[in-house]
């Protein structure tokens, strides 16, 4: 168990948390949610002892071990992958190193023998003999192949490092597990594995995530941060949303009834306060009036952008034809003879672990890269707008947000452009912010504004939810569902894939394509059957589930 007792944290004059009292108990997975800047990551640092409070303290059951998902992807660059995972239980790792050092001595003394015996006893109690196999199981579950287990961390790519650091946090059955955005940079297969791990985890988990589907799958309780307070709700994310909305409705209804009562009492007092025969009743009603207190209903600190993609032109029947498209990068064939056609009602999710293949394919379709073989053709009625995974080149300039977005607008009017920015939470002076100083979330909202103002009838998204808060992800999800045109996209957000896509394409590690008209959940149900096919090539028409 871990608890926060009267915790207050002040940054300058601002109180980020004020007298927070909350207890996290064994057997529960808590989703810590709140608007951007509410202090989710900060609160995890307080719980882990990385950050001191202004007032109050954090208490943990004596003897329990706390594990934290590391955020520094370069901290363990000089260590082997398997060692990095085992270091998640630092005491066990220290014992292993001390044992090895003793046994490596040429002049092995009696004292060394006694010490080695003590270490062996503690090592056995900690299941040390299973440490390497347990670490390997975690790594394999997250998609780190066995041949990488003995390489140095510095030789891994960014996504692989994230998975190793996650395995490190999970290693050794910690009593309390703190996870800050554990699904970031994970593919959907790895996220699915993590969901099952946490569902079967018996100890205490506190997780920050913007993935609504993930929170619904793993959480037994939601801890909601709003206005410096933390309120616990039983159930998962959807239960929290319904409960919080119900609570607000109940408070508003209670206030409405109180206001009616206040009006009734005031009218009686006004009519009869000067009437001698009614004076006692008027006085009694004055006392009753003084006792009525309206509930304070603070508006949530959450802010939802308004995302609405409206095409300027209706799309025709011919949208996209792809034939025998292939591409090799650094000697690896990432796309192998892709062939399909798109119709005007298609919303296609590209899934699977082959991220380079998906990004490469999108870059080919948008003209940023040429295929080695094959060709593609867009329909004459189509106009495309692209959200790239890496949009940094868009922000390497001295333009203001307003000037930058005006460059993509057919209507060169600042008021019109600021309207789009206002919907995306760039209010007032935000419009004159320089592009190069924007945060990750602000950059994403700029790119979405660009797509909205373009009026395109084909949208291509490559991982658009990176850096977005949950409110923005929800707004984007709704905008994609409502969009009347064609969408091609990749996303790690299960809920976006499930609720948006009516067609699933998976580019396999060998570059081949699986193409199904189905929802994502239905696709996953039949995934084992699909994966048994070693080679699958569409012939222009997908199979219909």
């Amino acid at each position: 168990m871990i608890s926060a007792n009267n915790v207050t944290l002040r940054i300058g004059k601002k109180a980020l948390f004020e007298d927070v009292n909350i207890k996290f108990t064994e057997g529960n997975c808590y989703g810590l949610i709140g608007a951007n800047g509410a202090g989710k990551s900060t609160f995890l640092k307080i719980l882990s002892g990385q950050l001191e409070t202004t007032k109050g303290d954090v208490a943990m059951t004596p003897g329990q071990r706390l594990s934290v998902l590391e955020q520094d992807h370069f901290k363990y660059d000089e260590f082997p992958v398997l060692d990095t995972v085992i270091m998640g239980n630092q005491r066990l790792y220290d014992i292993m190193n001390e044992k090895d050092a003793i046994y490596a001595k040429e002049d092995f003394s009696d004292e060394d023998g006694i010490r080695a015996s003590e270490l062996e006893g503690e090592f056995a109690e900690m299941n040390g003999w299973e440490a390497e196999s347990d670490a390997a199981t975690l790594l394999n579950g997250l998609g780190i192949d066995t041949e990488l287990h003995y390489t140095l961390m510095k030789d891994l790519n960014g996504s692989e490092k994230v998975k190793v650091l996650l395995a490190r946090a999970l290693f050794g059955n910690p009593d309390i597990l703190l996870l800050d955005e554990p699904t970031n940079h994970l593919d959907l297969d790895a996220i699915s594995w993590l969901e099952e791990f946490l569902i079967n985890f018996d100890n205490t988990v506190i997780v920050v995530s913007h993935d609504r589907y993930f929170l619904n799958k793993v959480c037994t309780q939601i801890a909601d941060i709003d206005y410096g307070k933390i309120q616990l709700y039983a159930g998962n994310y959807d239960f929290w949303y319904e409960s919080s909305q119900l609570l607000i409705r109940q408070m508003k209804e209670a206030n409405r009834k109180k206001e009616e009562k206040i009006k009734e009492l005031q009218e009686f007092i006004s009519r009869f306060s000067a009437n001698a025969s009614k004076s006692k009743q008027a006085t009694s009603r004055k006392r009753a009036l003084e006792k009525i207190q309206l509930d304070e209903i603070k508006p949530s600190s959450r802010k939802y952008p308004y995302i609405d993609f409206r095409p300027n032109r209706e799309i025709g029947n011919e949208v996209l034809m792809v034939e025998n498209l292939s591409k090799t990068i650094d000697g690896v064939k990432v796309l192998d003879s892709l062939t399909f056609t798109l119709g005007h009602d298609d919303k296609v999710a590209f899934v699977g672990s082959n991220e380079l293949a998906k990004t490469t394919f999108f870059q080919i379709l948008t003209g940023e890269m040429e295929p080695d073989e094959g060709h593609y053709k867009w329909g004459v009625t189509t106009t495309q707008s692209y959200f790239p995974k890496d949009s940094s080149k868009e922000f390497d300039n001295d333009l203001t947000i307003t000037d930058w977005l005006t460059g993509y607008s057919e209507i060169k009017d600042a008021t019109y452009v600021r309207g789009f920015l206002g919907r995306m939470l760039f209010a007032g002076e935000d419009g004159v912010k320089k592009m190069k100083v924007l945060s990750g979330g602000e950059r994403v909202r700029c790119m979405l504004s660009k797509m909205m103002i373009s009026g395109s009838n084909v949208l291509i998204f490559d991982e658009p939810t990176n850096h977005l808060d949950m409110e923005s992800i929800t707004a984007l999800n709704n905008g994609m569902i409502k969009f009347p045109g064609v969408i091609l996209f990749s996303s790690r957000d299960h809920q976006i894939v499930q609720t948006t896509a009516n067609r699933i394409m998976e580019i396999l590690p060998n570059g081949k394509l699986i193409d199904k008209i189905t929802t994502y959940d239905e696709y996953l149900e039949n995934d084992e059957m699909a994966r048994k096919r070693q080679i699958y090539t569409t012939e222009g028409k997908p199979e219909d589930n």
Side-chain angles (χ1 to χ4, degrees), residues 86 92 96 122-133 171:
I86 296 173
L92 176 61
M96 293 172 69
E122 191 174 354
F123 184 71
E125 287 178 4
M126 301 178 74
N127 295 319
W129 296 111
E130 287 78 43
E132 289 196 7
S133 63
F171 177 76

Side-chain angles (χ1 to χ4, degrees), residues 124-394:
E125 287 178 4
M126 301 178 74
N127 295 319
W129 296 111
E130 287 78 43
E132 289 196 7
S133 63
D134 289 348
T137 298
L138 292 171
L139 289 169
N140 290 333
L142 287 166
I144 300 296
D145 293 334
T146 303
E147 56 264 27
L148 295 176
H149 292 186
Y150 295 94
T151 60
L152 293 180
M153 285 287 285
K154 66 182 179 182
D155 296 324
L156 302 186
N157 63 37
S159 177
E160 290 166 341
K161 283 184 177 182
V162 168
K163 292 179 177 180
V164 175
L165 293 177
L166 179 55
R168 180 187 182 280
L170 304 178
F171 177 76
N173 195 37
D175 300 289
I176 299 162
L177 183 56
L178 306 183
L179 301 176
D180 191 355
E181 297 293 355
T183 63
N184 275 5
H185 308 293
L186 293 188
D187 55 74
L188 288 167
D189 288 339
I191 293 173
S192 180
W193 180 91
L194 177 61
E195 288 167 357
E196 290 303 313
F197 181 94
L198 294 179
I199 287 169
N200 295 305
F201 189 72
D202 293 329
N203 298 329
T204 305
V205 183
I206 306 171
V207 58
V208 171
S209 177
H210 290 143
D211 189 327
R212 299 156 296 165
Y213 182 88
F214 177 76
L215 292 176
N216 278 331
K217 284 278 283 187
V218 305
C219 291
T220 58
Q221 301 208 36
I222 295 294
D224 178 32
I225 302 177
D226 213 351
Y227 290 105
K229 301 293 184 182
I230 304 181
Q231 177 70 41
L232 271 182
Y233 294 82
N236 61 15
Y237 179 80
D238 282 349
F239 277 117
W240 161 78
Y241 184 79
E242 293 299 326
S243 299
S244 60
Q245 295 303 304
L246 176 61
L247 180 61
I248 292 172
R249 288 196 298 270
Q250 289 175 336
M251 291 174 69
K252 287 182 176 179
E253 178 61 20
N255 274 355
R256 186 186 66 78
K257 290 180 179 179
K258 288 178 182 178
E259 286 169 348
E260 288 177 355
K261 186 65 176 177
I262 289 170
K263 184 178 179 182
E264 177 189 320
L265 292 172
Q266 286 175 335
E267 286 178 350
F268 185 93
I269 293 167
S270 177
R271 286 178 60 192
F272 299 111
S273 59
N275 187 319
S277 63
K278 298 278 188 178
S279 61
K280 286 187 177 181
Q281 294 178 44
T283 301
S284 174
R285 280 166 172 74
K286 282 183 181 179
R287 295 195 190 100
L289 182 61
E290 290 169 357
K291 292 178 181 179
I292 298 177
Q293 297 291 328
L294 294 178
D295 294 321
E296 183 183 8
I297 305 175
K298 284 187 176 181
S300 173
S301 59
R302 293 175 171 84
K303 294 182 179 179
Y304 291 83
Y306 180 71
I307 298 178
D308 187 19
F309 304 104
R310 296 184 182 181
N312 294 333
R313 179 181 184 181
E314 187 175 347
I315 201 166
N317 290 326
E318 295 183 3
V319 178
L320 174 66
M321 182 275 295
V322 176
E323 187 171 358
N324 295 320
L325 202 69
S326 297
K327 183 68 179 180
T328 298
I329 296 179
D330 296 331
V332 178
K333 202 163 196 176
V334 295
L335 303 174
D336 189 358
S337 302
L338 269 61
T339 299
F340 63 87
T341 59
L342 288 189
H344 60 77
D345 294 323
D346 283 332
K347 291 184 177 179
V348 186
F350 287 79
V351 302
S353 60
N354 200 341
E355 293 189 25
L356 176 60
K358 290 178 279 188
T359 296
T360 299
F361 182 60
F362 292 152
Q363 289 176 331
I364 289 173
L365 291 184
T366 54
E368 293 186 6
M369 187 182 292
E370 291 293 326
D372 296 332
E373 301 172 20
H375 63 280
Y376 67 93
K377 182 180 179 182
W378 287 105
V380 294
T381 64
T382 65
T383 52
Q384 303 86 40
S385 188
Y386 176 41
F387 184 105
K389 183 179 291 186
D390 181 8
S391 59
S392 56
K393 63 182 181 181
E394 289 277 7

Side-chain angles (χ1 to χ4, degrees), residues 42-60:
T42 301
F43 191 69
L44 287 189
K45 289 179 181 178
I46 290 173
L47 292 178
S48 66
Q50 299 175 54
L51 194 62
E52 290 188 7
T53 62
T54 306
K55 188 181 77 172
D57 58 52
V58 172
M60 193 168 76

Side-chain angles (χ1 to χ4, degrees), residues 2 71 90 174 180 252 264 291 384 431 444 446 449 532:
I2 187 169
Q71 302 297 319
Q90 190 63 47
D180 191 355
K252 287 182 176 179
E264 177 189 320
K291 292 178 181 179
Q384 303 86 40
V444 173
C446 275
S449 299
K532 287 178 182 177

Side-chain angles (χ1 to χ4, degrees), residues 404-423:
W404 172 82
L405 189 58
T406 301
Y408 293 104
S409 174
E410 289 185 5
I411 301 173
K412 306 298 182 181
D413 177 71
T415 303
Y416 175 77
V417 172
R418 282 181 178 270
F420 277 86
L421 292 174
R423 295 175 204 165

